[in-house]
Amino acid sequence: MVSLSYSSAMPQEAPQSCLILGEQANLQRISFSDVESLISHRVSAKVFNEVVSDISDSEGVSLYPKTVSVATLSSKHSRHTTPTAAHHVMDTVSKHLPKNGDSAVIVVVCLRQHVFACGSAVARAFPTYTLKTRDVTTRDVTVCFITPDDTTPLSEQDIAVLTSTAKAIRLAADIVDRPRNEMTCDDLVKSAVKIGRDLGVDVTVVSGEQLKEQGFGGIYGVGKAAESPPALCVLSHRPDGATKTIAWCGKGIMYDTGGFSIKTKTGMPGMKRDCGGAAGILGAFKAAVECGFSENLHAVLCIAENSVGPRAAVPDDI
């Protein structure tokens, strides 16, 4: 299990593992002194400068075996690959962060305006759900930033926003990662209600036969065959002084067999991910409220399991 934190300052004590990542152009704008406190005990300035000057796009280089690595993000951008290159961050961290030791530092080298996207993307590399019962270790991972275009340190508010967002991302991933028999409609509703109460917001739940009685036939029809009843769960944040109202709606199909339009043997596995919309909205709502969102905000979670029988196992059950 990874404990993930963000820091506005570079740690002064060398971690057991370190990964320095960024686009090639940004990496070539930093100097050895920027990361000296992290890697000088194992890597010389000469080696660091030579690697950074020669490294190619989408490449990872070990500066010291199992301990210090440098990796580049792709500089190719399109409408699917944004200028932040955040879409590559998760894969790069997963692939190139050395596994050695119970403490690690990830140094993200990016433009100041890309800190939020890249910093949030790091969280995707550290899921919280596991069914391992042996060899389960804990690791402290700290994320720091070097912004070549602006050397002003990140503020406490910046760090707070990154921390809340990272927790929200890992929460959403945990919901999606859990198999259907561990994350039912009831389980997601309970999680949402608890989060709402912890945040101090209004929570409304319409479930089971109440959906039919109140005219929510769509959610009721999809989920009425499942053992865990369907539900409409709404979290409402209404701060004083708000002048706008915004609603986020998330699809929370805990498992989609296709119903009587049954999915194929290759099309059905993985359909536990059909709750990803609701999971993402719940996480985003939590982060927004924690960060002081000043307008009215509603998270509308449409939760159901599309099943053909209440007791049947599905391909993703564990």
Side-chain angles (χ1 to χ4, degrees):
M1 185 68 67
V2 168
S3 174
L4 185 64
S5 62
Y6 294 82
S7 176
S8 60
M10 206 67 66
Q12 294 307 302
E13 292 187 9
Q16 292 171 308
S17 297
C18 180
L19 170 64
I20 304 165
L21 67 90
E23 289 190 18
Q24 181 186 32
N26 290 326
L27 287 173
Q28 292 177 348
R29 294 174 65 182
I30 69 172
S31 65
F32 180 72
S33 61
D34 293 322
V35 293
E36 185 174 5
S37 64
L38 303 177
I39 66 174
S40 61
H41 63 303
R42 291 193 172 104
V43 180
S44 67
K46 181 176 182 292
V47 169
F48 176 81
N49 292 331
E50 286 178 353
V51 169
V52 169
S53 63
D54 293 338
I55 197 168
S56 303
D57 247 14
S58 303
E59 182 183 7
V61 177
S62 176
L63 300 181
Y64 192 91
K66 299 182 180 180
T67 306
V68 182
S69 296
V70 173
T72 54
L73 305 172
S74 174
S75 60
K76 296 179 180 179
H77 304 143
S78 71
R79 66 190 181 94
H80 298 296
T81 55
T82 65
T84 64
H87 49 286
H88 294 305
V89 170
M90 179 184 74
D91 290 338
T92 302
V93 171
S94 299
K95 184 177 181 180
H96 295 294
L97 177 65
K99 304 297 189 289
N100 184 55
D102 56 12
S103 68
V105 171
I106 299 172
V107 181
V108 180
V109 184
C110 64
L111 300 180
R112 185 59 175 255
Q113 65 187 23
H114 296 164
V115 164
F116 177 74
C118 292
S120 299
V122 171
R124 295 184 61 201
F126 301 107
T128 59
Y129 177 71
T130 180
L131 279 179
K132 291 179 66 175
T133 56
R134 293 183 299 175
D135 302 323
V136 179
T137 59
T138 58
R139 197 180 198 198
D140 295 322
V141 176
T142 302
V143 184
C144 306
F145 299 88
I146 299 175
T147 52
D149 61 324
D150 185 351
T151 58
T152 307
L154 298 180
S155 67
E156 290 185 5
Q157 183 179 9
D158 293 332
I159 297 301
V161 169
L162 283 165
T163 300
S164 289
T165 304
K167 289 179 179 178
I169 289 170
R170 299 177 82 191
L171 165 70
D174 183 84
I175 292 170
V176 175
D177 287 344
R178 290 180 180 274
R180 184 226 45 163
N181 55 319
E182 286 196 19
M183 181 54 67
T184 66
C185 298
D186 287 338
D187 293 326
L188 182 53
V189 169
K190 289 176 183 176
S191 294
V193 169
K194 182 180 186 306
I195 287 170
R197 289 174 176 168
D198 290 345
L199 293 172
V201 302
D202 297 328
V203 180
T204 302
V205 178
V206 183
S207 64
E209 294 300 317
Q210 295 175 334
L211 290 167
K212 181 180 179 181
E213 295 167 1
Q214 296 186 31
F216 297 103
I219 303 174
Y220 177 78
V222 170
K224 66 180 180 179
E227 186 173 21
S228 183
L232 177 68
C233 183
V234 182
L235 280 65
S236 298
H237 170 61
R238 299 184 178 92
D240 294 336
T243 59
K244 298 178 181 178
T245 298
I246 300 165
W248 293 338
C249 185
K251 177 184 178 183
I253 303 301
M254 308 313 295
Y255 201 90
D256 189 3
T257 66
F260 280 110
S261 299
I262 198 77
K263 293 184 182 294
T264 64
K265 66 178 181 180
T266 56
M268 192 182 300
M271 289 311 297
K272 65 176 185 174
R273 295 191 297 267
D274 224 21
C275 65
I281 292 300
L282 180 60
F285 179 88
K286 180 176 183 292
V289 174
E290 286 178 344
C291 294
F293 193 74
S294 59
E295 303 293 352
N296 294 322
L297 182 63
H298 304 278
V300 183
L301 311 179
C302 304
I303 303 169
E305 179 189 339
N306 189 6
S307 177
V308 290
R311 304 288 295 174
V314 301
D316 291 324
D317 280 352
I318 298 176

